[in-house]
Amino acid sequence: MLKNTIHAYGSVAKTFHWLMFLLVAGLLAAGFIMEGMELGPDKIRLYGLHKSIGIAVLALALLRLTWKAVNIAPPLPGTMRKFDKFAAQAMHWLLYAMMIAMPLSGWLMSSASGFSVSVFGWFTLPDLIAPDKETAKLLRAVHGWAAWGIIAMVTLHAGAALLHHFYYKDNVLKRMLPFARVE
Amino acid sequence: MKKIAGIFALLMLAVTPAHTEAPAQAEAEKPAPVEAPAYQVVKEKSFLKFFALQNGAPVEGGFGDFTADIRFDPEHPDQSSIAVEVNTASVIAANEDVAKNLKLPEWLSVEAFPKAVFKSKTITRMPMSDNYYSEGELTLHGKTVPVTLNFQMNRFDGKRAIATGYATLRRLDYGIGQGEWAKPDVIKNEVRVQFRIVADRK
């Protein structure tokens, strides 16, 4: 099933979810690694790849939100407390916001640093702001702290899913797992 | 076969003196070379920039300090000439670290090679247009390589001349980007130079 049902997420939503997870994990790893690298072609190459994939995440996030808007979502279990439901939904929206804010802050940071963003060498994005050292420094800090923010959010999100699966023993995790069947 | 060679040698002997003497005579009769009027660059209105491709995206830089000896007459491009001298240490870039790195030995090596010089050999006007191209030599990073400048006269009123143009260089021809940078994948070999020259008649 491509589309979502009231019982489980469809394959499109699942693909979006897990592809996004892999890309974001890769971006975080690359981000921390490249920051500590000595200046050389490898460092610049990794920056280029990081930027390209970051913009791909931005594009995917917009497609994903569009897909979400035209689909039903399987509701959270009725047994959940009102506050927990609110927390789960708030976390989802925060994660979506980060999928957009993070690439944007990186794009802004690139513009401010005087390095335009090329997407896999296919095309170059327009610079959003003029190069400025102080602005670049600020955006670099924002981008870096946001990375830790994402790590915290994803940890809470995954922790909650595991809690549902092993403690509450509901199908909240299963309905997003690839190839899993939900009755 | 021998006979033919002999005739050919005789022919050569007969012809050669006439050939060597004739140009010598013409040289003596030729008037002193005419030079086109000289122009003084208006520094604050002119620029010399370059664009390198890093990860497929253009990275902008430029030189703040350069002088030019320009003689120009649009009706007599053959009498015109361009000589530009660039202070390589005046390199600037949109990113400060890039400018700092460009001065290092792997790149422009500005301490060893403080000057880059372009000298035109020919200037040609494209028929029915304000477009020109100049073939010349650029000495950069201790290496001299032929380059072609393409430019357009945006304004020329006898007093002030404004020209904009470009040239494409291959950095590796000059040995710019040494060691691990010599592979032109992350930073491409082709570097585009762009300029705008505002100059007043001396």
Side-chain angles (χ1 to χ4, degrees):
Chain A
M1 258 177 309
L2 289 175
K3 291 184 88 174
N4 302 342
T5 66
I6 49 159
H7 302 296
Y9 287 99
S11 49
V12 173
K14 284 183 183 180
T15 306
F16 270 132
H17 175 271
W18 291 104
L19 182 62
M20 199 63 98
F21 167 72
L22 290 174
L23 293 178
V24 170
L27 283 170
L28 286 166
F32 287 114
I33 291 168
M34 70 195 196
E35 213 184 14
M37 278 170 84
E38 231 175 272
L39 181 64
D42 289 340
K43 176 172 180 153
I44 291 177
R45 199 180 284 120
L46 195 52
Y47 264 86
L49 193 63
H50 179 89
K51 290 181 189 188
S52 299
I53 295 174
I55 297 303
V57 163
L58 176 63
L60 273 175
L62 297 175
L63 284 174
R64 190 176 173 186
L65 283 168
T66 310
W67 183 253
K68 183 181 165 71
V70 299
N71 253 272
I72 49 160
L76 289 166
T79 50
M80 275 176 77
R81 277 174 300 175
K82 229 179 174 182
F83 175 79
D84 290 352
K85 279 187 176 174
F86 167 78
Q89 245 136 24
M91 182 58 82
H92 287 148
W93 284 111
L94 268 175
L95 282 164
Y96 283 121
M98 288 311 264
M99 287 173 220
I100 290 166
M102 194 65 171
L104 273 180
S105 73
W107 183 357
L108 281 163
M109 172 184 163
S110 292
S111 301
S113 306
F115 294 118
S116 305
V117 178
S118 165
V119 181
F120 299 108
W122 300 334
F123 55 90
T124 304
L125 297 180
D127 291 327
L128 296 175
I129 46 173
D132 180 74
K133 209 184 166 185
E134 288 308 307
T135 316
K137 222 169 137 184
L138 177 75
L139 284 162
R140 197 190 173 90
V142 169
H143 198 68
W145 283 111
W148 287 109
I150 287 178
I151 291 172
M153 287 176 207
V154 171
T155 307
L156 286 169
H157 172 73
L162 292 172
L163 200 67
H164 276 278
H165 189 72
F166 292 109
Y167 185 75
Y168 297 118
K169 300 195 193 302
D170 56 25
N171 64 2
V172 163
L173 174 67
K174 242 178 145 182
R175 62 192 197 175
M176 189 44 112
L177 284 181
F179 318 116
R181 282 180 174 270
V182 180
E183 60 287 340
Chain B
M1 195 64 202
K2 229 178 187 180
K3 210 173 166 188
I4 295 170
I7 290 167
F8 187 72
L10 265 174
L11 265 172
M12 283 299 285
L13 274 172
V15 167
T16 315
H19 260 283
T20 43
E21 262 167 55
Q25 272 172 359
E27 200 79 37
E29 284 160 21
K30 210 175 167 185
V34 184
E35 277 192 300
Y39 281 82
Q40 174 78 47
V41 173
V42 183
K43 262 194 169 175
E44 58 280 8
K45 289 189 175 164
S46 306
F47 65 72
L48 178 58
K49 287 182 187 176
F50 59 83
F51 295 88
L53 280 176
Q54 177 181 290
N55 279 331
V59 175
E60 189 182 334
F63 294 96
D65 184 17
F66 60 92
T67 56
D69 187 358
I70 299 170
R71 292 181 172 273
F72 192 77
D73 181 347
E75 301 310 322
H76 298 282
D78 52 311
Q79 294 166 9
S80 307
S81 64
I82 306 165
V84 184
E85 196 176 281
V86 182
N87 172 9
T88 56
S90 72
V91 65
I92 46 167
N95 184 291
E96 259 181 51
D97 294 329
V98 169
K100 229 182 270 170
N101 279 300
L102 281 176
K103 293 178 186 171
L104 299 178
E106 298 100 295
W107 295 97
L108 293 172
S109 193
V110 300
E111 273 181 35
F113 307 106
K115 297 265 176 257
V117 178
F118 172 81
K119 275 200 172 75
S120 69
K121 282 193 162 160
T122 63
I123 296 177
T124 310
R125 183 174 189 167
M126 312 277 254
M128 315 287 288
S129 78
D130 292 321
N131 296 322
Y132 299 77
Y133 65 93
S134 169
E135 285 177 350
E137 281 183 335
L138 175 65
T139 305
L140 174 63
H141 201 248
K143 292 209 170 63
T144 303
V145 177
V147 290
T148 304
L149 300 187
N150 298 278
F151 62 94
Q152 185 178 37
M153 268 298 157
N154 305 114
R155 183 177 151 188
F156 189 84
D157 55 17
K159 264 174 81 182
R160 172 158 282 190
I162 301 176
T164 50
Y166 68 91
T168 306
L169 314 179
R170 285 189 303 265
R171 65 179 178 90
L172 296 173
D173 290 352
Y174 301 89
I176 293 174
Q178 301 261 317
E180 53 182 0
W181 301 105
K183 219 176 139 202
D185 53 350
V186 173
I187 297 170
K188 288 273 180 295
N189 196 5
E190 284 75 21
V191 175
R192 193 178 166 97
V193 174
Q194 274 184 20
F195 55 85
R196 177 178 197 259
I197 300 292
V198 179
D200 289 332
R201 194 165 167 165
K202 276 185 187 169

